[in-house]
Amino acid sequence: DVRQAEDLTAQTFVAALEGLARYRERGTFAGWLFTIAARRLADHFRQRPTVRLDDIADRTSPDPSPEASVEQAEQMTRLAHAMRTLSPDRAQAMALHFFGDLSLGDTARVMGRSKVAVKSLIHRALRDLREKLDDGQE
């Protein structure tokens, strides 16, 4: 929901402004900001465990045929259902890396994990999703 996204964004920037005096250049500023955002998002999902992929359609072809649009919508619905079955760590790694366009290193910093651990989380999440989608389960 747009209102929730705006609230989370506002909370992130308020927290960043409040913590700016404590910021130390041990990485990128963007990584520090994403860490704050990831914590706010994790808190939000702890309260309401869902994965939203409504905006993923923006990454598809600009003018698909009506049949292709219906097929894409069905695939995105199946993917959204499959994503909800992932563990929170795997879902967060996928969201940060693929939907947030963060590198493995930046994803690792945001999650407070090693790059190898994040790579493993993503690998396992992709395997789980592939199994769910190949089996026709949702």
Side-chain angles (χ1 to χ4, degrees):
D1 157 334
V2 172
R3 188 177 63 63
Q4 289 175 337
E6 290 171 346
D7 288 347
L8 288 170
T9 301
Q11 290 173 21
T12 298
F13 282 101
V14 166
L17 285 173
E18 290 172 350
L20 198 54
R22 294 184 307 272
Y23 170 70
R24 303 290 178 256
E25 292 187 34
R26 288 181 283 208
T28 64
F29 182 78
W32 177 74
L33 194 56
F34 268 111
T35 300
I36 294 170
R39 288 180 184 149
R40 294 289 179 255
L41 188 61
D43 290 344
H44 173 75
F45 281 125
R46 273 189 216 105
Q47 296 168 0
R48 186 172 165 227
T50 60
V51 176
R52 302 286 310 230
L53 297 177
D54 295 338
D55 297 327
I56 195 170
D58 293 340
R59 295 177 179 244
T60 59
S61 61
D63 294 319
S65 69
E67 295 83 13
S69 293
V70 169
E71 186 176 330
Q72 279 181 345
E74 289 173 357
Q75 288 174 347
M76 291 303 111
T77 299
R78 289 183 66 223
L79 178 59
H81 287 295
M83 286 284 291
R84 287 187 190 107
T85 67
L86 294 176
S87 71
D89 285 347
R90 290 178 187 178
Q92 182 182 24
M94 292 281 293
L96 290 170
H97 183 63
F98 292 110
F99 305 122
D101 290 328
L102 292 183
S103 69
L104 286 174
D106 286 340
T107 301
R109 278 189 286 283
V110 167
M111 293 183 71
R113 305 262 185 136
S114 71
K115 192 173 174 180
V116 171
V118 167
K119 194 172 182 179
S120 177
L121 285 171
I122 291 171
H123 173 75
R124 289 178 179 147
L126 289 171
R127 182 198 63 211
D128 292 350
L129 290 173
R130 190 176 305 113
E131 287 174 5
K132 286 278 187 192
L133 296 172
D134 286 347
D135 291 344
Q137 298 175 1
E138 295 179 21

